[in-house]
Amino acid sequence: MLDNWKLKDRTLLGFAIPTILIFVFSVIVYATSSQTRIIYKQVGMSNEAIIGTNNMALSLANMNLAIRRYLYNPKKYQDALERYAFFNQRFQEGLNVASKVAEDKFQEERLKTMQNMFNEFEMLVKDTITTPNFENNRLLIEQYLEKSGDMSYKFRQIHEEFASHQKEIMSNRIEGTKVMLNLMSLLAVLVTILTIAIAFFVTSIISRSLGSRVSQVVDVAEQISAGDFTLSLPESELKTKDEIGQIMASFQIMLQKLSTLIRQVQSSGIQVTTSATLVGAAGTQLETTLTEQVASTNQVTATAKEIAATSKELAHTMEQVVTMSQATTTAANISQTDLQRMETSMRQLATATNTIATRLGIISEKANNINNIVLTITKVADQTNLLS
C-alpha cells in the first residue's frame, strides 16, 4: 500500500497521527484548564461568601455585646453605640459580599433569613434603647437579653448551615477538579506513550519499505558506474509511483540511451577508421600528383625560357629582315649576293618559325597535363570533404 506513496506523504503520515493525538490532548487540556479556572473562580466566590457570612455573624455578635455593655451602664459606656454602628456597617458589607456571590436558592434564602433576623435584632435594639428610663427597667433588659440570645443562637445556626452548604459545594468542586487533574495526568502519560509507539511503528514500517529498495537503487547505481549497461531492472520497481520508482525508471531510460549512444559511437568509430584509410590513400595519390605537377611545372618553366630565347632570336632576325628588306629595296639591282643573303635569312626565319611552332605544341601538351593534374587535385579535395 505504501509503495506508491511518495516520501513526503509517508513522512506526513508518520507525523500526522502523533500530531492529531497531541492536538486532541491539547484541546482536552485547554477545556480542562478553562473548567479549572471556572471552578477556581467559583471556589473563590464560595470562599468570599463564607467570609462575608462570617463577618455578618461576628458583626452581629459584636453588636449584641456592644448593646449589652451599653445596657449595663449607658452613661459610662457611650462608646458602645459607636461600636454598634461600626459593626452594623461591617454586617452590611458582609451581607453585600455574600449576596453577590450567592449561587443557588438555598444560599439566597439563608441570606434573606439572616438579613430578616438582623432587621429584627435592630428593631429589638431600637425598642430597648429608646424606651424611657430603660436602664432601670430590669424586665425590659431581661427580655432583650433573652431575645438577643435566641436571635444570636438562631443566626449562628443559619450561618453554620450556610457555611456548611457552601463548604460542601467547594469540596465537590475541588474533588471534581482533582479528578480532572488526575485524568489529565493519566492522559498525558497515555498520549506520550501512544505517540511514541505510533511514531516508532510508522517509522519502522517506512524504514522497512524503503531500506531494501534504497539498497537496490545503490547496487544499480554502482553497476552503472562500473560500466555494466546490460543489467535489467525489475518491472515491479518501475511501476511504483514514489521517488524510488521514479529513480529506477530514470535509470532504465538512462541505460537505454547509453546503450544506443555506445552503438552509435562504435559505428562512428568504424566509419572514422574507413575514412582515415581513404584519406591516407588520397593523400598518397595527392602527393604523387603534386610531384608530377612540380615536374611538369619545371618543364613548362624551361620551355618558357626556351621560347623567350627563341623569341629574342626571332625579334633579332626580324630586325635583320627589316634592315635587309630596306637594303634590298634600295639595292635590289646592285648585287645578287644580297639576294642570296636575303634567301638565307628567309630560310632562317622559316626555321625559327617552325621551332616556335614546335615549342608552342610542347607548351600546349604541358598545359593539358597541368589541367589533368588540377582535375585530379579537385577530385581528391572533393573526396576529402566527403570523408570529413
mmCIF file with all atom_site columns, all heavy atoms in Angstrom, residues 13-32:
data_model
loop_
_atom_site.group_PDB
_atom_site.id
_atom_site.type_symbol
_atom_site.label_atom_id
_atom_site.label_alt_id
_atom_site.label_comp_id
_atom_site.label_asym_id
_atom_site.label_entity_id
_atom_site.label_seq_id
_atom_site.pdbx_PDB_ins_code
_atom_site.Cartn_x
_atom_site.Cartn_y
_atom_site.Cartn_z
_atom_site.occupancy
_atom_site.B_iso_or_equiv
_atom_site.pdbx_formal_charge
_atom_site.auth_seq_id
_atom_site.auth_comp_id
_atom_site.auth_asym_id
_atom_site.auth_atom_id
_atom_site.pdbx_PDB_model_num
ATOM 1   N N   . LEU A 1 13 ? 2.429   11.127 6.988  1.00 0.00 ? 13 LEU A N   1
ATOM 2   C CA  . LEU A 1 13 ? 1.664   10.103 7.697  1.00 0.00 ? 13 LEU A CA  1
ATOM 3   C C   . LEU A 1 13 ? 2.303   9.803  9.045  1.00 0.00 ? 13 LEU A C   1
ATOM 4   O O   . LEU A 1 13 ? 1.607   9.640  10.057 1.00 0.00 ? 13 LEU A O   1
ATOM 5   C CB  . LEU A 1 13 ? 1.590   8.832  6.849  1.00 0.00 ? 13 LEU A CB  1
ATOM 6   C CG  . LEU A 1 13 ? 0.909   7.628  7.517  1.00 0.00 ? 13 LEU A CG  1
ATOM 7   C CD1 . LEU A 1 13 ? -0.552  7.941  7.808  1.00 0.00 ? 13 LEU A CD1 1
ATOM 8   C CD2 . LEU A 1 13 ? 1.023   6.402  6.636  1.00 0.00 ? 13 LEU A CD2 1
ATOM 9   N N   . GLY A 1 14 ? 3.661   9.741  9.041  1.00 0.00 ? 14 GLY A N   1
ATOM 10  C CA  . GLY A 1 14 ? 4.345   9.446  10.290 1.00 0.00 ? 14 GLY A CA  1
ATOM 11  C C   . GLY A 1 14 ? 4.139   10.510 11.347 1.00 0.00 ? 14 GLY A C   1
ATOM 12  O O   . GLY A 1 14 ? 4.104   10.203 12.544 1.00 0.00 ? 14 GLY A O   1
ATOM 13  N N   . PHE A 1 15 ? 3.985   11.769 10.913 1.00 0.00 ? 15 PHE A N   1
ATOM 14  C CA  . PHE A 1 15 ? 3.797   12.855 11.880 1.00 0.00 ? 15 PHE A CA  1
ATOM 15  C C   . PHE A 1 15 ? 2.332   13.213 12.096 1.00 0.00 ? 15 PHE A C   1
ATOM 16  O O   . PHE A 1 15 ? 2.000   13.894 13.064 1.00 0.00 ? 15 PHE A O   1
ATOM 17  C CB  . PHE A 1 15 ? 4.553   14.108 11.409 1.00 0.00 ? 15 PHE A CB  1
ATOM 18  C CG  . PHE A 1 15 ? 6.032   14.016 11.571 1.00 0.00 ? 15 PHE A CG  1
ATOM 19  C CD1 . PHE A 1 15 ? 6.845   13.712 10.490 1.00 0.00 ? 15 PHE A CD1 1
ATOM 20  C CD2 . PHE A 1 15 ? 6.628   14.226 12.804 1.00 0.00 ? 15 PHE A CD2 1
ATOM 21  C CE1 . PHE A 1 15 ? 8.214   13.623 10.628 1.00 0.00 ? 15 PHE A CE1 1
ATOM 22  C CE2 . PHE A 1 15 ? 7.997   14.142 12.948 1.00 0.00 ? 15 PHE A CE2 1
ATOM 23  C CZ  . PHE A 1 15 ? 8.795   13.824 11.865 1.00 0.00 ? 15 PHE A CZ  1
ATOM 24  N N   . ALA A 1 16 ? 1.461   12.791 11.177 1.00 0.00 ? 16 ALA A N   1
ATOM 25  C CA  . ALA A 1 16 ? 0.058   13.212 11.266 1.00 0.00 ? 16 ALA A CA  1
ATOM 26  C C   . ALA A 1 16 ? -0.631  12.625 12.488 1.00 0.00 ? 16 ALA A C   1
ATOM 27  O O   . ALA A 1 16 ? -1.297  13.340 13.254 1.00 0.00 ? 16 ALA A O   1
ATOM 28  C CB  . ALA A 1 16 ? -0.684  12.808 9.990  1.00 0.00 ? 16 ALA A CB  1
ATOM 29  N N   . ILE A 1 17 ? -0.464  11.310 12.689 1.00 0.00 ? 17 ILE A N   1
ATOM 30  C CA  . ILE A 1 17 ? -1.183  10.656 13.788 1.00 0.00 ? 17 ILE A CA  1
ATOM 31  C C   . ILE A 1 17 ? -0.721  11.190 15.144 1.00 0.00 ? 17 ILE A C   1
ATOM 32  O O   . ILE A 1 17 ? -1.558  11.578 15.978 1.00 0.00 ? 17 ILE A O   1
ATOM 33  C CB  . ILE A 1 17 ? -1.010  9.127  13.686 1.00 0.00 ? 17 ILE A CB  1
ATOM 34  C CG1 . ILE A 1 17 ? -1.623  8.625  12.367 1.00 0.00 ? 17 ILE A CG1 1
ATOM 35  C CG2 . ILE A 1 17 ? -1.665  8.436  14.881 1.00 0.00 ? 17 ILE A CG2 1
ATOM 36  C CD1 . ILE A 1 17 ? -1.432  7.155  12.121 1.00 0.00 ? 17 ILE A CD1 1
ATOM 37  N N   . PRO A 1 18 ? 0.593   11.246 15.427 1.00 0.00 ? 18 PRO A N   1
ATOM 38  C CA  . PRO A 1 18 ? 1.005   11.854 16.707 1.00 0.00 ? 18 PRO A CA  1
ATOM 39  C C   . PRO A 1 18 ? 0.567   13.303 16.838 1.00 0.00 ? 18 PRO A C   1
ATOM 40  O O   . PRO A 1 18 ? 0.187   13.742 17.929 1.00 0.00 ? 18 PRO A O   1
ATOM 41  C CB  . PRO A 1 18 ? 2.537   11.732 16.673 1.00 0.00 ? 18 PRO A CB  1
ATOM 42  C CG  . PRO A 1 18 ? 2.816   10.614 15.745 1.00 0.00 ? 18 PRO A CG  1
ATOM 43  C CD  . PRO A 1 18 ? 1.744   10.678 14.712 1.00 0.00 ? 18 PRO A CD  1
ATOM 44  N N   . THR A 1 19 ? 0.584   14.038 15.720 1.00 0.00 ? 19 THR A N   1
ATOM 45  C CA  . THR A 1 19 ? 0.158   15.434 15.780 1.00 0.00 ? 19 THR A CA  1
ATOM 46  C C   . THR A 1 19 ? -1.321  15.530 16.131 1.00 0.00 ? 19 THR A C   1
ATOM 47  O O   . THR A 1 19 ? -1.732  16.390 16.927 1.00 0.00 ? 19 THR A O   1
ATOM 48  C CB  . THR A 1 19 ? 0.421   16.122 14.429 1.00 0.00 ? 19 THR A CB  1
ATOM 49  O OG1 . THR A 1 19 ? 1.818   16.031 14.128 1.00 0.00 ? 19 THR A OG1 1
ATOM 50  C CG2 . THR A 1 19 ? 0.021   17.580 14.486 1.00 0.00 ? 19 THR A CG2 1
ATOM 51  N N   . ILE A 1 20 ? -2.139  14.641 15.545 1.00 0.00 ? 20 ILE A N   1
ATOM 52  C CA  . ILE A 1 20 ? -3.574  14.635 15.859 1.00 0.00 ? 20 ILE A CA  1
ATOM 53  C C   . ILE A 1 20 ? -3.789  14.304 17.327 1.00 0.00 ? 20 ILE A C   1
ATOM 54  O O   . ILE A 1 20 ? -4.609  14.933 18.020 1.00 0.00 ? 20 ILE A O   1
ATOM 55  C CB  . ILE A 1 20 ? -4.302  13.640 14.946 1.00 0.00 ? 20 ILE A CB  1
ATOM 56  C CG1 . ILE A 1 20 ? -4.301  14.150 13.499 1.00 0.00 ? 20 ILE A CG1 1
ATOM 57  C CG2 . ILE A 1 20 ? -5.742  13.429 15.408 1.00 0.00 ? 20 ILE A CG2 1
ATOM 58  C CD1 . ILE A 1 20 ? -4.834  13.154 12.507 1.00 0.00 ? 20 ILE A CD1 1
ATOM 59  N N   . LEU A 1 21 ? -3.058  13.303 17.824 1.00 0.00 ? 21 LEU A N   1
ATOM 60  C CA  . LEU A 1 21 ? -3.192  12.938 19.243 1.00 0.00 ? 21 LEU A CA  1
ATOM 61  C C   . LEU A 1 21 ? -2.808  14.109 20.143 1.00 0.00 ? 21 LEU A C   1
ATOM 62  O O   . LEU A 1 21 ? -3.502  14.416 21.121 1.00 0.00 ? 21 LEU A O   1
ATOM 63  C CB  . LEU A 1 21 ? -2.321  11.717 19.545 1.00 0.00 ? 21 LEU A CB  1
ATOM 64  C CG  . LEU A 1 21 ? -2.787  10.383 18.945 1.00 0.00 ? 21 LEU A CG  1
ATOM 65  C CD1 . LEU A 1 21 ? -1.771  9.302  19.237 1.00 0.00 ? 21 LEU A CD1 1
ATOM 66  C CD2 . LEU A 1 21 ? -4.149  9.987  19.500 1.00 0.00 ? 21 LEU A CD2 1
ATOM 67  N N   . ILE A 1 22 ? -1.699  14.763 19.800 1.00 0.00 ? 22 ILE A N   1
ATOM 68  C CA  . ILE A 1 22 ? -1.259  15.899 20.616 1.00 0.00 ? 22 ILE A CA  1
ATOM 69  C C   . ILE A 1 22 ? -2.280  17.030 20.531 1.00 0.00 ? 22 ILE A C   1
ATOM 70  O O   . ILE A 1 22 ? -2.554  17.713 21.532 1.00 0.00 ? 22 ILE A O   1
ATOM 71  C CB  . ILE A 1 22 ? 0.129   16.365 20.150 1.00 0.00 ? 22 ILE A CB  1
ATOM 72  C CG1 . ILE A 1 22 ? 1.172   15.273 20.448 1.00 0.00 ? 22 ILE A CG1 1
ATOM 73  C CG2 . ILE A 1 22 ? 0.526   17.669 20.825 1.00 0.00 ? 22 ILE A CG2 1
ATOM 74  C CD1 . ILE A 1 22 ? 2.544   15.576 19.886 1.00 0.00 ? 22 ILE A CD1 1
ATOM 75  N N   . PHE A 1 23 ? -2.855  17.236 19.333 1.00 0.00 ? 23 PHE A N   1
ATOM 76  C CA  . PHE A 1 23 ? -3.859  18.286 19.183 1.00 0.00 ? 23 PHE A CA  1
ATOM 77  C C   . PHE A 1 23 ? -5.099  17.982 20.037 1.00 0.00 ? 23 PHE A C   1
ATOM 78  O O   . PHE A 1 23 ? -5.617  18.872 20.720 1.00 0.00 ? 23 PHE A O   1
ATOM 79  C CB  . PHE A 1 23 ? -4.255  18.405 17.714 1.00 0.00 ? 23 PHE A CB  1
ATOM 80  C CG  . PHE A 1 23 ? -5.341  19.408 17.458 1.00 0.00 ? 23 PHE A CG  1
ATOM 81  C CD1 . PHE A 1 23 ? -5.080  20.770 17.491 1.00 0.00 ? 23 PHE A CD1 1
ATOM 82  C CD2 . PHE A 1 23 ? -6.642  18.989 17.199 1.00 0.00 ? 23 PHE A CD2 1
ATOM 83  C CE1 . PHE A 1 23 ? -6.091  21.694 17.269 1.00 0.00 ? 23 PHE A CE1 1
ATOM 84  C CE2 . PHE A 1 23 ? -7.654  19.903 16.978 1.00 0.00 ? 23 PHE A CE2 1
ATOM 85  C CZ  . PHE A 1 23 ? -7.378  21.259 17.013 1.00 0.00 ? 23 PHE A CZ  1
ATOM 86  N N   . VAL A 1 24 ? -5.552  16.720 19.969 1.00 0.00 ? 24 VAL A N   1
ATOM 87  C CA  . VAL A 1 24 ? -6.717  16.341 20.786 1.00 0.00 ? 24 VAL A CA  1
ATOM 88  C C   . VAL A 1 24 ? -6.402  16.516 22.267 1.00 0.00 ? 24 VAL A C   1
ATOM 89  O O   . VAL A 1 24 ? -7.216  17.033 23.046 1.00 0.00 ? 24 VAL A O   1
ATOM 90  C CB  . VAL A 1 24 ? -7.123  14.889 20.476 1.00 0.00 ? 24 VAL A CB  1
ATOM 91  C CG1 . VAL A 1 24 ? -8.211  14.415 21.437 1.00 0.00 ? 24 VAL A CG1 1
ATOM 92  C CG2 . VAL A 1 24 ? -7.625  14.774 19.037 1.00 0.00 ? 24 VAL A CG2 1
ATOM 93  N N   . PHE A 1 25 ? -5.208  16.090 22.664 1.00 0.00 ? 25 PHE A N   1
ATOM 94  C CA  . PHE A 1 25 ? -4.811  16.245 24.066 1.00 0.00 ? 25 PHE A CA  1
ATOM 95  C C   . PHE A 1 25 ? -4.734  17.723 24.439 1.00 0.00 ? 25 PHE A C   1
ATOM 96  O O   . PHE A 1 25 ? -5.121  18.110 25.551 1.00 0.00 ? 25 PHE A O   1
ATOM 97  C CB  . PHE A 1 25 ? -3.463  15.567 24.292 1.00 0.00 ? 25 PHE A CB  1
ATOM 98  C CG  . PHE A 1 25 ? -2.942  15.710 25.696 1.00 0.00 ? 25 PHE A CG  1
ATOM 99  C CD1 . PHE A 1 25 ? -3.536  15.029 26.747 1.00 0.00 ? 25 PHE A CD1 1
ATOM 100 C CD2 . PHE A 1 25 ? -1.855  16.528 25.965 1.00 0.00 ? 25 PHE A CD2 1
ATOM 101 C CE1 . PHE A 1 25 ? -3.067  15.173 28.037 1.00 0.00 ? 25 PHE A CE1 1
ATOM 102 C CE2 . PHE A 1 25 ? -1.378  16.666 27.241 1.00 0.00 ? 25 PHE A CE2 1
ATOM 103 C CZ  . PHE A 1 25 ? -1.985  15.983 28.294 1.00 0.00 ? 25 PHE A CZ  1
ATOM 104 N N   . SER A 1 26 ? -4.249  18.553 23.512 1.00 0.00 ? 26 SER A N   1
ATOM 105 C CA  . SER A 1 26 ? -4.182  19.993 23.791 1.00 0.00 ? 26 SER A CA  1
ATOM 106 C C   . SER A 1 26 ? -5.576  20.587 23.967 1.00 0.00 ? 26 SER A C   1
ATOM 107 O O   . SER A 1 26 ? -5.802  21.431 24.841 1.00 0.00 ? 26 SER A O   1
ATOM 108 C CB  . SER A 1 26 ? -3.454  20.711 22.648 1.00 0.00 ? 26 SER A CB  1
ATOM 109 O OG  . SER A 1 26 ? -2.142  20.226 22.494 1.00 0.00 ? 26 SER A OG  1
ATOM 110 N N   . VAL A 1 27 ? -6.525  20.116 23.128 1.00 0.00 ? 27 VAL A N   1
ATOM 111 C CA  . VAL A 1 27 ? -7.904  20.587 23.275 1.00 0.00 ? 27 VAL A CA  1
ATOM 112 C C   . VAL A 1 27 ? -8.463  20.183 24.629 1.00 0.00 ? 27 VAL A C   1
ATOM 113 O O   . VAL A 1 27 ? -9.122  20.977 25.322 1.00 0.00 ? 27 VAL A O   1
ATOM 114 C CB  . VAL A 1 27 ? -8.778  20.038 22.126 1.00 0.00 ? 27 VAL A CB  1
ATOM 115 C CG1 . VAL A 1 27 ? -10.249 20.341 22.373 1.00 0.00 ? 27 VAL A CG1 1
ATOM 116 C CG2 . VAL A 1 27 ? -8.332  20.626 20.792 1.00 0.00 ? 27 VAL A CG2 1
ATOM 117 N N   . ILE A 1 28 ? -8.189  18.927 25.015 1.00 0.00 ? 28 ILE A N   1
ATOM 118 C CA  . ILE A 1 28 ? -8.669  18.461 26.322 1.00 0.00 ? 28 ILE A CA  1
ATOM 119 C C   . ILE A 1 28 ? -8.032  19.265 27.448 1.00 0.00 ? 28 ILE A C   1
ATOM 120 O O   . ILE A 1 28 ? -8.693  19.659 28.418 1.00 0.00 ? 28 ILE A O   1
ATOM 121 C CB  . ILE A 1 28 ? -8.376  16.956 26.482 1.00 0.00 ? 28 ILE A CB  1
ATOM 122 C CG1 . ILE A 1 28 ? -9.184  16.153 25.453 1.00 0.00 ? 28 ILE A CG1 1
ATOM 123 C CG2 . ILE A 1 28 ? -8.722  16.486 27.891 1.00 0.00 ? 28 ILE A CG2 1
ATOM 124 C CD1 . ILE A 1 28 ? -8.846  14.686 25.426 1.00 0.00 ? 28 ILE A CD1 1
ATOM 125 N N   . VAL A 1 29 ? -6.731  19.528 27.306 1.00 0.00 ? 29 VAL A N   1
ATOM 126 C CA  . VAL A 1 29 ? -6.034  20.315 28.327 1.00 0.00 ? 29 VAL A CA  1
ATOM 127 C C   . VAL A 1 29 ? -6.620  21.719 28.407 1.00 0.00 ? 29 VAL A C   1
ATOM 128 O O   . VAL A 1 29 ? -6.844  22.259 29.500 1.00 0.00 ? 29 VAL A O   1
ATOM 129 C CB  . VAL A 1 29 ? -4.525  20.373 28.008 1.00 0.00 ? 29 VAL A CB  1
ATOM 130 C CG1 . VAL A 1 29 ? -3.821  21.401 28.898 1.00 0.00 ? 29 VAL A CG1 1
ATOM 131 C CG2 . VAL A 1 29 ? -3.905  19.012 28.206 1.00 0.00 ? 29 VAL A CG2 1
ATOM 132 N N   . TYR A 1 30 ? -6.897  22.309 27.229 1.00 0.00 ? 30 TYR A N   1
ATOM 133 C CA  . TYR A 1 30 ? -7.474  23.659 27.224 1.00 0.00 ? 30 TYR A CA  1
ATOM 134 C C   . TYR A 1 30 ? -8.852  23.657 27.880 1.00 0.00 ? 30 TYR A C   1
ATOM 135 O O   . TYR A 1 30 ? -9.166  24.545 28.691 1.00 0.00 ? 30 TYR A O   1
ATOM 136 C CB  . TYR A 1 30 ? -7.568  24.169 25.792 1.00 0.00 ? 30 TYR A CB  1
ATOM 137 C CG  . TYR A 1 30 ? -8.211  25.529 25.681 1.00 0.00 ? 30 TYR A CG  1
ATOM 138 C CD1 . TYR A 1 30 ? -7.503  26.683 26.004 1.00 0.00 ? 30 TYR A CD1 1
ATOM 139 C CD2 . TYR A 1 30 ? -9.536  25.656 25.275 1.00 0.00 ? 30 TYR A CD2 1
ATOM 140 C CE1 . TYR A 1 30 ? -8.095  27.929 25.912 1.00 0.00 ? 30 TYR A CE1 1
ATOM 141 C CE2 . TYR A 1 30 ? -10.138 26.903 25.186 1.00 0.00 ? 30 TYR A CE2 1
ATOM 142 C CZ  . TYR A 1 30 ? -9.412  28.042 25.509 1.00 0.00 ? 30 TYR A CZ  1
ATOM 143 O OH  . TYR A 1 30 ? -10.004 29.277 25.427 1.00 0.00 ? 30 TYR A OH  1
ATOM 144 N N   . ALA A 1 31 ? -9.678  22.655 27.511 1.00 0.00 ? 31 ALA A N   1
ATOM 145 C CA  . ALA A 1 31 ? -11.020 22.583 28.111 1.00 0.00 ? 31 ALA A CA  1
ATOM 146 C C   . ALA A 1 31 ? -10.937 22.368 29.615 1.00 0.00 ? 31 ALA A C   1
ATOM 147 O O   . ALA A 1 31 ? -11.663 22.995 30.400 1.00 0.00 ? 31 ALA A O   1
ATOM 148 C CB  . ALA A 1 31 ? -11.821 21.459 27.457 1.00 0.00 ? 31 ALA A CB  1
ATOM 149 N N   . THR A 1 32 ? -10.023 21.489 30.024 1.00 0.00 ? 32 THR A N   1
ATOM 150 C CA  . THR A 1 32 ? -9.860  21.233 31.461 1.00 0.00 ? 32 THR A CA  1
ATOM 151 C C   . THR A 1 32 ? -9.350  22.472 32.179 1.00 0.00 ? 32 THR A C   1
ATOM 152 O O   . THR A 1 32 ? -9.784  22.795 33.289 1.00 0.00 ? 32 THR A O   1
ATOM 153 C CB  . THR A 1 32 ? -8.895  20.058 31.662 1.00 0.00 ? 32 THR A CB  1
ATOM 154 O OG1 . THR A 1 32 ? -9.395  18.926 30.943 1.00 0.00 ? 32 THR A OG1 1
ATOM 155 C CG2 . THR A 1 32 ? -8.794  19.698 33.136 1.00 0.00 ? 32 THR A CG2 1
#
